[in-house]
Amino acid sequence: MREILGRRRKLSLQRKERTALLNAALTYAEQWRWRVVPGVGYDGRGSWRAAGAQPCACARPNCPVPGAHPLDPGLLAATRDPRMVRYWWTSRPDAPVVVATGDRVSAASLPAVAGARAVEALDAMGVRLGPIVATPTRYQLLVAPYSLADLGEILDSHDWVPASLRYHGDGGYVGLPPSSSSAGQLRWVRPPQPDERTGGPQPWLPQIGTLIDALVRAGRSMPGSDRLTY
C-alpha cells in the first residue's frame, strides 16, 4: 500500500512540475515577449529523471550545460508564439525552458560563489538588481539587451576580466526556472519585478553597465581566475 501511495505522489508531483514548465514558458513568451525554445533534455525522450551515465541527450562528452540548451529545434526556432509553445511542451512536458537572449533580454553569468559576492556588493552600493537565477553552479543576472559593441566599450576600461564571466547577448541563451539541470533545480534568487516605467507585465531589467564593475571584481576574487585581456 505504501508503495502504491508513493507512486501516486510521485506521479502527482511530476504532473505539477510539467504544468509549471508549460505555464512558465507561456509567461515568458506570451506575456514578457521573450523568445523560448525547449531544452534538449537528459535522455532520448528529453526527461531529466531518466538520466543515466550520459546526463545530456545531446551525447556531447562533458556537455557544459547538460539538458538546458537547445538542439532540436535549434535556437533559431525560439518563438513568442503561444501555440508553438503549447505544442512543444505538450509533446515534451519535461523539457527545460530555454530563453533566447539578445532582443528583449540579455544576461551575464559567473560561478555561484562569485555571483553571490557580486550581488552582495551591488546591494551594498544600492544598485537595483533585476531577476537573478541560480543554477547548481552559476548565477545568471538578467539585464536589458546589449550589443557586442556596447559590451566591448564597457569592458575596455578594464585591464583584464575573468574568463569565468560569461555574456549572454545576441545569439545566446539561458535556462530559466522552473527548469532542472542534471545537477539540480534552477531557482530565482531575485524573482522578476514589474517594470513601473511601462506599466506592462514585462520585468524590470537593469543596464549591464551598472553591474559590470562588481561582476568583474567578484570574478577576479575567485582562486585561479583566468584572464581575458582587453
Side-chain angles (χ1 to χ4, degrees):
M1 187 65 176
R2 289 182 180 176
E3 186 178 346
I4 293 173
L5 290 174
R7 277 201 291 261
R8 288 177 178 173
R9 290 193 196 98
K10 185 176 181 180
L11 288 172
S12 176
L13 179 61
Q14 289 176 356
R15 282 194 292 268
K16 289 179 181 177
E17 290 176 347
R18 289 171 173 177
T19 300
L21 285 164
L22 172 59
N23 289 342
L26 286 170
T27 296
Y28 301 147
E30 193 170 17
Q31 296 185 30
W32 298 357
R33 309 303 294 161
W34 296 357
R35 294 180 297 118
V36 302
V37 66
V40 63
Y42 303 96
D43 68 359
R45 299 181 300 281
S47 172
W48 66 273
R49 292 179 184 82
Q54 174 58 52
C56 186
C58 74
R60 177 183 174 187
N62 302 317
C63 177
V65 282
H69 67 87
L71 182 66
D72 184 16
L75 185 62
L76 291 177
T79 184
R80 303 180 182 95
D81 186 345
R83 296 168 298 178
M84 197 71 234
V85 172
R86 288 186 183 279
Y87 170 76
W88 279 335
W89 270 272
T90 300
S91 303
R92 298 178 51 212
D94 290 320
V97 182
V98 174
V99 169
T101 54
D103 58 347
R104 295 281 183 134
V105 60
S106 291
S109 69
L110 65 171
V113 173
R117 290 177 183 171
V119 170
E120 184 178 351
L122 288 162
D123 281 340
M125 291 187 290
V127 175
R128 184 183 179 187
L129 297 171
I132 302 173
V133 177
T135 77
T137 58
R138 298 182 70 81
Y139 265 37
Q140 300 174 164
L141 288 82
L142 304 190
V143 297
Y146 56 80
S147 68
L148 290 177
D150 294 336
L151 184 63
E153 288 184 13
I154 294 169
L155 294 177
D156 190 51
S157 62
H158 296 274
D159 294 332
W160 68 275
V161 298
S164 60
L165 182 54
R166 299 175 189 164
Y167 308 97
H168 309 265
D170 190 30
Y173 62 87
V174 290
L176 295 186
S179 306
S180 294
S181 77
S182 62
Q185 196 82 20
L186 277 62
R187 61 181 177 86
W188 293 111
V189 175
R190 299 288 172 87
Q193 300 295 327
D195 189 341
E196 302 89 349
R197 298 168 301 181
T198 64
Q202 291 82 10
W204 183 85
L205 299 169
Q207 299 294 322
I208 192 169
T210 64
L211 312 182
I212 198 68
D213 287 348
L215 298 181
V216 169
R217 284 196 300 271
R220 284 180 175 182
S221 70
M222 296 295 294
S225 292
D226 294 329
R227 300 183 178 215
L228 289 177
T229 302
Y230 282 85

